[in-house]
Amino acid sequence: MRSEDIAKLAGVSRSTVSRVLNNYPDIPQRTRDKVLKIIEEYNYEPNTSARVLAGKSTNTIGFFVVSLDDQDNMNRIYQNSYFAPFVDAIIDTANAAGYYVLVHTVYTREDFIKVKQAFQQKRIDGGIVVGTRKDIGMVREISQLDMPFVLIDYDISEIIENHLDKKHLAVINSMDYEGAYDAMSHLIDLGHSKIAFIGDGTSNTFSGAQRFEAYRTALMEHGLPLNETFILKGDFLKKSAYREVLKLLDQAELPTAIFSANDDMALGALEAFKERGIRVPEDISIVGFDDVPVAAQLNPSLSSVRLPIYDMSQAAVHKIIEMCQQGTSSFSTTSFPTKLIARESSKSTNAR
Amino acid sequence: MRSEDIAKLAGVSRSTVSRVLNNYPDIPQRTRDKVLKIIEEYNYEPNTSARVLAGKSTNTIGFFVVSLDDQDNMNRIYQNSYFAPFVDAIIDTANAAGYYVLVHTVYTREDFIKVKQAFQQKRIDGGIVVGTRKDIGMVREISQLDMPFVLIDYDISEIIENHLDKKHLAVINSMDYEGAYDAMSHLIDLGHSKIAFIGDGTSNTFSGAQRFEAYRTALMEHGLPLNETFILKGDFLKKSAYREVLKLLDQAELPTAIFSANDDMALGALEAFKERGIRVPEDISIVGFDDVPVAAQLNPSLSSVRLPIYDMSQAAVHKIIEMCQQGTSSFSTTSFPTKLIARESSKSTNAR
DNA sequence: ATGAAAGCGCTAACAT
DNA sequence: ATGTTAGCGCTTTCAT
């Protein structure tokens, strides 16, 4: 069934059908109804490719999850505690706004070609990118595509320093620095002065670097010493944190609290504590970051900093739709606040 | 940049460029190289809409997550412990096979229109549907679209009974009956004879019904009585299970074990136990279903039945691609085995 | 082996 | 207010 068929059946021309379809104003209600009736009756839907080819937009946005680390197939699937809620929230928001979403994962630089192709082949109107370890090279390539793009969790200063063409770019961030500072203040308020940090890893991820930065600053501003042995490496995965914490526990001087740059690593720490018979929060307090669903389920429940994932996703979708529709040339930045959720895993030092 | 531009630059015609692009055999290496060089040089990518309009396939599959229950916006996002891994696995598999994936959620019958439209507008070559409470009406409409479709977790007998047009249909299931039977056998082998069940809800979901069926049969085949008060209603959400288990605990006769039709409800049960000071597994054993990530993290860790989500996702993607490419008319069914993961929450009655 | 030309289904400028 | 027509960028049959 093509528009021409509908036209014949309604006794009008293809243009009129097209006008009805696209809500042109200069068309009388009588004609409109007549055409709509036939369209309804025959369940006609215009061919998207033809529309797009004739100059309409695709009504589709691309959502790209970049995770250059997770090469291992098994790890990809279940360990994306950070990405999964974004996928959900973005699809929901876009769908509710009448947009389709093309989701693509990027695990290698090869995969990244697919992102560019999605644009160049005109499959999507605009794109949203979320992910750790995206390098500036990718962002540069993206900006050169000259199509609307929203970056979630990206260091703005990097974009500015590199003089990227920001005409069609927007950035949505969470206030990780503030959130991490809150977590540290919380621990310090509880009387902790020897606070370790897990997650001083490859700070290729913007939010990760922010969290570490806040750790250092919070200590400093409260006149607390920065003990190098209390700074544990961590790649944001559970396993490495588990190992590093075990190493820490072998040392002479132990911290009374740990701030972990994400919950997955906090889980690794908890496992190490359990193995060594160290009680939480009696012997040591711990605060994580991300507030993954399991945090509330644990026993003791894990204090954590909640990310505004839903707000960020909504903002990203609305921003990209706005950019696609208005074709505006602008560069914008929005950051959403995090929220400390204090639970059982962090207690006052006096309470012991 | 269009194919005509490439043609001019390479000194050939558009047809030749197209032939190179589509790997036609009757084209000499010299010409091919010449054209490819220009394509490379100018970073040319053919316009997808034009290709599709001219008869090519979209290279895109649709993935539709149907969840007619979750009307509440908040619940959608974080409670999809069942769907999230499917989304991940399906996108990964399809991407690895060179396909794009259009993901769409369906929360209402209104939303379902979008599924049909995605097909009728020729946005996708085929689709995969997963979800609870999809009714036969939807499946009928889908089958009438006459396009390749894979249903994940669907009752085959319902399709057959309703005489659906199965020409372009395939079904991928998990062996929930066997998995649930394994869980029951496990508990019975541990010496339990008074075993309760959570999740006798709206059995609109195929796998849910299977799990209950296995519970009854396992009791029967082991000569154990079916105590009606041990059968708790449950809508597969944590909250309702929590309430039902509290009610159960008020009764005179208590079970020594519980089999929960999914892990979320098992979590609710654990909360109720904790509240009443009932120890797991000392006072009561519990086995869940789905093996969500948190199951292994809990203390005590939760015994559960693992779903072959990755196998199912792979099979679904490969099946839909096969159907799209070969255009075969067939109806096929594949089921993958589940696996009981016995952990700390289920212990022998003798060990007390 | 390659070019010319028709056609895929739609939109929009132009004409009336 | 509506019909006519020229594309949109590609594939493919038909010629050569």
Side-chain angles (χ1 to χ4, degrees):
Chain A
M1 178 101 337
R2 299 159 309 137
S3 77
E4 177 150 20
D5 303 325
I6 299 295
K8 278 204 187 104
L9 289 161
V12 295
S13 71
R14 292 204 327 277
S15 352
T16 302
V17 173
S18 175
R19 285 186 185 102
V20 170
L21 240 32
N22 294 289
N23 285 310
Y24 273 55
D26 56 349
I27 193 155
Q29 197 58 40
R30 256 184 62 85
T31 314
R32 187 182 301 277
D33 288 344
K34 187 172 59 181
V35 174
L36 282 176
K37 188 168 160 294
I38 304 287
I39 289 178
E40 184 92 355
E41 186 176 340
Y42 288 84
N43 241 303
Y44 164 75
E45 289 286 344
N47 182 308
T48 298
S49 296
R51 300 189 99 172
V52 171
L53 195 53
K56 290 291 190 182
S57 59
T58 64
N59 240 314
T60 305
I61 64 172
F63 179 51
F64 306 100
V65 179
V66 180
S67 180
L68 294 183
D69 305 315
D70 303 353
Q71 309 271 354
D72 178 14
N73 213 349
M74 283 304 101
N75 280 357
R76 292 180 187 181
I77 314 298
Y78 294 102
Q79 293 197 354
N80 278 353
S81 50
Y82 178 70
F83 297 133
F86 273 114
V87 179
D88 274 8
I90 285 185
I91 292 171
D92 270 8
T93 311
N95 284 173
Y99 273 73
Y100 286 94
V101 184
L102 205 64
V103 186
H104 213 291
T105 46
V106 179
Y107 294 117
T108 64
R109 282 214 132 268
E110 307 265 287
D111 290 346
F112 184 66
I113 296 173
K114 290 291 180 175
V115 179
K116 295 208 296 177
Q117 284 180 338
F119 275 95
Q120 297 177 316
Q121 296 173 356
K122 300 271 156 50
R123 288 174 178 271
I124 54 185
D125 297 336
I128 299 174
V129 180
V130 62
T132 52
R133 325 286 165 93
K134 31 182 184 335
D135 48 38
I136 188 70
M138 278 193 191
V139 179
R140 171 172 286 118
E141 288 187 56
I142 284 171
S143 71
Q144 285 168 349
L145 290 175
D146 214 41
M147 297 202 103
F149 236 104
V150 171
L151 301 175
I152 291 181
D153 184 25
Y154 204 84
D155 187 355
I156 304 155
S157 53
E158 192 167 272
I159 291 172
I160 294 170
E161 279 165 21
N162 283 274
H163 301 292
L164 292 188
D165 176 5
K166 307 185 293 296
K167 276 204 301 290
H168 306 287
L169 228 51
V171 178
I172 308 284
N173 283 333
S174 48
M175 299 186 188
D176 288 57
Y177 179 89
E178 290 79 357
Y181 198 97
D182 287 348
M184 287 299 292
S185 299
H186 168 64
L187 288 172
I188 293 168
D189 287 350
L190 288 173
H192 295 280
S193 58
K194 294 194 281 185
I195 306 174
F197 178 83
I198 321 178
D200 171 29
T202 44
S203 60
N204 303 8
T205 136
F206 175 54
S207 51
Q210 294 283 294
R211 295 172 194 181
F212 183 45
E213 185 65 21
Y215 165 75
R216 301 173 59 118
T217 311
L219 285 182
M220 232 159 43
E221 292 189 358
H222 287 83
L224 296 174
L226 191 72
N227 187 335
E228 286 297 335
T229 62
F230 285 174
I231 299 176
L232 312 187
K233 300 271 173 224
D235 56 5
F236 286 66
L237 294 181
K238 189 181 158 185
K239 199 157 204 103
S240 65
Y242 165 77
R243 279 194 303 260
E244 290 299 314
V245 169
L246 279 185
K247 271 196 253 170
L248 173 71
L249 296 179
D250 286 337
Q251 308 220 334
E253 191 183 14
L254 296 184
T256 65
I258 291 197
F259 172 44
S260 173
N262 79 348
D263 285 348
D264 279 352
M265 292 190 295
L267 292 177
L270 289 175
E271 202 165 293
F273 294 155
K274 187 176 173 184
E275 198 173 307
R276 292 292 172 88
I278 293 176
R279 295 163 306 163
V280 175
E282 291 81 359
D283 301 328
I284 195 165
S285 283
I286 181 165
V287 176
F289 210 112
D290 286 355
D291 190 30
V292 297
V294 57
Q297 303 286 351
L298 291 173
N299 192 5
S301 54
L302 176 67
S303 299
S304 190
V305 179
R306 181 175 298 165
L307 287 173
I309 290 183
Y310 195 67
D311 293 332
M312 294 170 75
S313 304
Q314 279 211 125
V317 170
H318 292 148
K319 175 58 78 180
I320 197 71
I321 290 177
E322 177 193 320
M323 292 166 84
C324 291
Q325 287 177 349
Q326 306 186 357
T328 50
S329 281
S330 68
F331 174 66
S332 75
T333 294
T334 316
S335 295
F336 291 93
T338 58
K339 186 180 179 194
L340 174 69
I341 311 288
R343 296 200 181 89
E344 298 165 357
S345 70
S346 52
K347 281 288 171 304
S348 164
T349 48
N350 304 326
R352 305 191 196 189
Chain B
M1 179 99 339
R2 301 159 307 137
S3 78
E4 177 148 21
D5 302 324
I6 299 295
K8 278 205 186 100
L9 287 162
V12 296
S13 72
R14 294 202 329 275
S15 342
T16 303
V17 173
S18 175
R19 286 187 183 103
V20 169
L21 240 31
N22 293 288
N23 287 312
Y24 274 54
D26 56 350
I27 194 154
Q29 197 59 41
R30 257 184 60 85
T31 313
R32 185 181 302 275
D33 288 343
K34 188 172 57 183
V35 174
L36 283 175
K37 190 169 159 296
I38 305 287
I39 288 178
E40 184 91 357
E41 187 175 338
Y42 288 84
N43 241 306
Y44 164 75
E45 290 284 345
N47 181 308
T48 299
S49 296
R51 299 189 99 170
V52 171
L53 195 54
K56 290 290 191 183
S57 60
T58 64
N59 240 315
T60 305
I61 63 171
F63 179 50
F64 305 99
V65 179
V66 180
S67 180
L68 294 184
D69 304 316
D70 303 354
Q71 309 270 355
D72 179 13
N73 213 349
M74 283 303 100
N75 280 355
R76 294 181 185 178
I77 313 299
Y78 293 102
Q79 292 197 357
N80 279 351
S81 52
Y82 178 70
F83 296 133
F86 273 114
V87 179
D88 274 9
I90 284 185
I91 292 172
D92 270 7
T93 310
N95 285 172
Y99 273 73
Y100 287 94
V101 183
L102 205 64
V103 186
H104 213 292
T105 46
V106 179
Y107 294 118
T108 65
R109 282 215 131 264
E110 306 265 287
D111 290 347
F112 184 65
I113 296 173
K114 290 290 182 176
V115 179
K116 295 207 296 178
Q117 285 180 338
F119 275 96
Q120 296 177 316
Q121 297 174 353
K122 299 273 153 50
R123 287 173 180 272
I124 54 183
D125 297 336
I128 299 175
V129 179
V130 64
T132 53
R133 322 289 164 96
K134 25 182 191 334
D135 49 36
I136 188 71
M138 280 195 191
V139 178
R140 170 172 289 119
E141 288 188 55
I142 285 171
S143 72
Q144 285 167 350
L145 290 173
D146 215 40
M147 296 201 105
F149 235 103
V150 171
L151 300 175
I152 291 181
D153 185 25
Y154 204 83
D155 187 354
I156 303 154
S157 51
E158 192 167 273
I159 292 172
I160 294 169
E161 279 165 19
N162 283 275
H163 301 293
L164 293 188
D165 177 4
K166 308 184 294 294
K167 278 205 298 290
H168 305 288
L169 227 52
V171 178
I172 307 285
N173 284 333
S174 47
M175 298 185 189
D176 288 58
Y177 181 89
E178 290 80 355
Y181 198 99
D182 287 348
M184 288 299 293
S185 300
H186 168 63
L187 287 172
I188 293 169
D189 288 350
L190 288 173
H192 296 281
S193 57
K194 294 193 282 187
I195 306 174
F197 179 82
I198 320 179
D200 170 30
T202 44
S203 60
N204 304 9
T205 136
F206 175 54
S207 52
Q210 295 280 297
R211 293 172 195 180
F212 183 45
E213 185 66 23
Y215 166 75
R216 301 174 58 117
T217 312
L219 286 182
M220 230 159 46
E221 293 189 359
H222 287 82
L224 297 174
L226 191 70
N227 187 335
E228 287 296 334
T229 63
F230 285 176
I231 299 177
L232 311 188
K233 300 271 171 223
D235 56 4
F236 286 68
L237 293 180
K238 189 181 158 185
K239 198 156 207 102
S240 65
Y242 166 77
R243 279 194 303 260
E244 291 297 315
V245 170
L246 279 186
K247 272 196 253 169
L248 173 70
L249 295 179
D250 286 336
Q251 310 222 331
E253 192 184 12
L254 297 184
T256 64
I258 291 197
F259 171 45
S260 172
N262 80 346
D263 285 350
D264 279 353
M265 292 191 295
L267 291 178
L270 290 175
E271 205 164 290
F273 294 156
K274 189 177 173 186
E275 199 172 305
R276 292 293 172 90
I278 293 176
R279 296 163 306 163
V280 175
E282 291 81 358
D283 301 327
I284 196 165
S285 284
I286 182 165
V287 176
F289 210 112
D290 286 354
D291 191 31
V292 296
V294 57
Q297 303 286 351
L298 292 173
N299 192 5
S301 55
L302 176 66
S303 299
S304 190
V305 179
R306 179 174 298 166
L307 287 173
I309 290 183
Y310 194 67
D311 292 332
M312 293 170 75
S313 304
Q314 280 212 124
V317 170
H318 291 148
K319 174 59 75 178
I320 197 70
I321 289 177
E322 178 192 319
M323 291 166 84
C324 292
Q325 288 178 348
Q326 306 185 358
T328 49
S329 282
S330 69
F331 174 66
S332 77
T333 294
T334 315
S335 296
F336 292 92
T338 58
K339 187 179 177 194
L340 174 70
I341 311 289
R343 296 202 180 88
E344 297 164 358
S345 70
S346 52
K347 281 290 172 301
S348 165
T349 47
N350 304 326
R352 304 193 194 189

